[in-house]
Each structure stands twice: as C-alpha cells, then as structure tokens.
Amino acid sequence: MLPTVTKTRSSPSTSRPNSMFPQYLRRIVKWQQMDIEYTFWQMLHLCTAPKVVYQHTKYHKQTKNQWARDDPAFLVICILLLAVATLAYCAAYDHSAAHAVLVVISVFLFHFLLTGVILATCCWFLTNAYLREEAPNSHVVEQWVEWLYAFDVHCNSFFPMFVMLYVIHYFLSPLLVANGFIPELLSNLLFMVAASYYHYLNFLGYDVLPFLERTTFFLYPIGVIIVLSPILILSGFNPSRYFMNMHFSQRV
C-alpha cells in the first residue's frame, strides 16, 4: 500500500523538465524519421511477450540516457489504427457520415488521448512521490520517472487492449450484443481480460525501473476487476451493448 506519510524528498514537479518533449512533438509530422518496423515489432511482442519489450527499454536507457521513447512512431500508428477500427464500426453500425466523424474524434480524444494523459499523469505523480527508493547517499544521482515515459507505458498497455476491444470485439460483436446470458458472459469476460492485461502491462512498465519499489501497487486494480466482473454478469450488464449504444446512432 502507499505510505500515509510523505517522505522528505523534493516534489516531482521540481525535477528537470523533459528536454526531449519538444523534439518528440516535432518528429510526429516527420514520417521518414520514424522506425516503423521496430514499432510493429514492439506491438507484436506487447501482445505475446511484453517483458521482452521492456528489456529493450533498459537498452534504450543505456544508449539514449532516457527511459522514454524519442520516436513517436508508436503513438502515430496507434492513432491511425484506432481511427481505422472506429471507421469500421461506423460503417457497420452508423447511418450518418457526420456522426461517424464525431465518433472517430470522440474515441481518439476521450478513449485514448485524454484518458492516457490523466492516467499517465497520475502514475507519474504517484511513482515520483511515493514509490521512488531513497538515495543511499548524497553522491548518488536521484532518478525520476519521466512524464513522457509514463505516457509511453499507457500507450504500450493500451495497444493489446485495443486489439481485444476494437479488433477482436468487432468480429465478435454480432454475438456479443445479442440478448441472453451467454453474450453477457462473453462480453464481460472479454472486457475483464482486456482491462486486467492493461494493468499488468502498466505494472511491467514501472517494475522495470530499478529506482522504484512496491510497484505491485499497479496490480491492485486487477483484483478489483476480478471482484466486480461476477457482480456485473449476475446483474445482467452487457458492456458491449452499453458502449455500442452509447456511440452509434444505430441501436443494437
């Protein structure tokens, strides 16, 4: 659990700003400078062997002297894939082109960007304020979690959830939105696995940092999800029907 008494240490807000952030933003529009092949390699292994991806994060720290990516390719490809998947849903479940545009924008802004910024900021603050190890002596340079790295962790965790809840869910949606106990059960299980895997990858992202302790804190939400899922199933709640009816003009 998080300590109730704040340790004597400088606030994370006083740490030096991430000098790579402006360069990171500038490279978003420079497609030729992005390593697309490596990005797809990361995406594949985040779904199959996520620890390998974070092992490479250690190599990045050794070579670039920062934990965060300096290549925005992962973010750009995530946005493009999210837009394509949302348009596929709109083609199947929406009758209005104007409404479809609003759905794509809202999914990008709220499902990915705004949620990611809020979660990354919360994790960035919690890790720097409560989970950093105390420096053993004054000669050791203190290390901080970079905000951009916290956002990278969110992007990494989001991608497998995107595969489950946008891609696999799309092909299973005729079954998942049907009436009955089996669709409700399958829909809740799919959402439970996706959310649990998100938090597991979140844990891996911070556990790889050698200056953090008690990172198992990031696994606690999985326990909450496991407890809530049977309650939602028994109450007859179908998350697939809920989100589809919330976003699309054609009710399911």
Side-chain angles (χ1 to χ4, degrees):
M1 297 179 62
L2 294 177
T4 55
V5 180
T6 304
K7 298 179 180 179
T8 305
R9 55 174 60 168
S10 55
S11 168
S13 61
T14 63
S15 60
R16 65 181 183 85
N18 190 345
S19 60
M20 291 298 299
F21 193 70
Q23 181 182 349
Y24 182 89
L25 292 178
R26 287 194 296 268
R27 291 185 62 182
I28 285 181
V29 295
K30 297 179 180 180
W31 185 264
Q32 68 277 10
Q33 295 184 10
M34 300 181 191
D35 192 342
I36 306 302
E37 182 179 352
Y38 179 63
T39 298
F40 280 118
W41 178 90
Q42 285 183 308
M43 289 178 167
L44 173 64
H45 283 78
L46 283 170
C47 297
T48 58
K51 290 184 179 180
V52 175
V53 176
Y54 283 112
Q55 186 63 42
H56 278 249
T57 301
K58 293 182 179 180
Y59 303 150
H60 187 271
K61 170 62 176 178
Q62 294 170 359
T63 56
K64 300 291 184 70
N65 195 31
Q66 69 174 45
W67 292 99
R69 298 186 185 99
D70 56 352
D71 184 355
F74 196 101
L75 173 63
V76 172
I77 292 176
C78 269
I79 293 172
L80 293 176
L81 292 177
L82 187 61
V84 171
T86 307
L87 286 173
Y89 275 97
C90 292
Y93 295 100
D94 214 325
H95 291 155
S96 169
H99 186 260
V101 173
L102 290 177
V103 170
V104 173
I105 295 174
S106 66
V107 166
F108 163 67
L109 289 179
F110 295 103
H111 287 206
F112 179 71
L113 186 59
L114 182 60
T115 302
V117 168
I118 293 173
L119 290 175
T121 302
C122 290
C123 292
W124 167 79
F125 174 79
L126 288 172
T127 51
N128 283 321
Y130 298 106
L131 302 184
R132 289 191 311 116
E133 292 182 343
E134 292 284 2
N137 55 67
S138 59
H139 300 288
V140 177
V141 177
E142 282 195 302
Q143 298 189 70
W144 301 86
V145 177
E146 307 151 7
W147 185 91
L148 194 56
Y149 178 78
F151 188 72
D152 281 347
V153 171
H154 163 72
C155 292
N156 290 346
S157 303
F158 177 85
F159 180 74
M161 187 167 66
F162 160 79
V163 172
M164 285 184 267
L165 297 186
Y166 286 83
V167 180
I168 296 176
H169 184 279
Y170 175 80
F171 294 104
L172 296 179
S173 58
L175 169 63
L176 297 177
V177 300
N179 294 314
F181 176 75
I182 298 301
E184 292 171 2
L185 175 64
L186 294 177
S187 179
N188 277 281
L189 287 177
L190 182 61
F191 275 75
M192 180 187 73
V193 172
S196 298
Y197 197 65
Y198 174 92
H199 288 289
Y200 172 66
L201 291 186
N202 218 36
F203 158 73
L204 290 183
Y206 294 104
D207 189 57
V208 76
L209 302 181
F211 54 90
L212 294 184
E213 56 186 5
R214 302 184 303 278
T215 52
T216 51
F217 168 77
F218 293 103
L219 294 175
Y220 292 171
I222 298 178
V224 177
I225 294 169
I226 293 174
V227 171
L228 288 179
S229 293
I231 299 175
L232 295 176
I233 294 171
L234 293 176
S235 67
F237 176 71
N238 187 326
S240 296
R241 291 179 65 87
Y242 175 80
F243 286 108
M244 299 284 279
N245 288 332
M246 183 175 65
H247 285 294
F248 302 110
S249 58
Q250 181 180 343
R251 297 286 172 171
V252 296

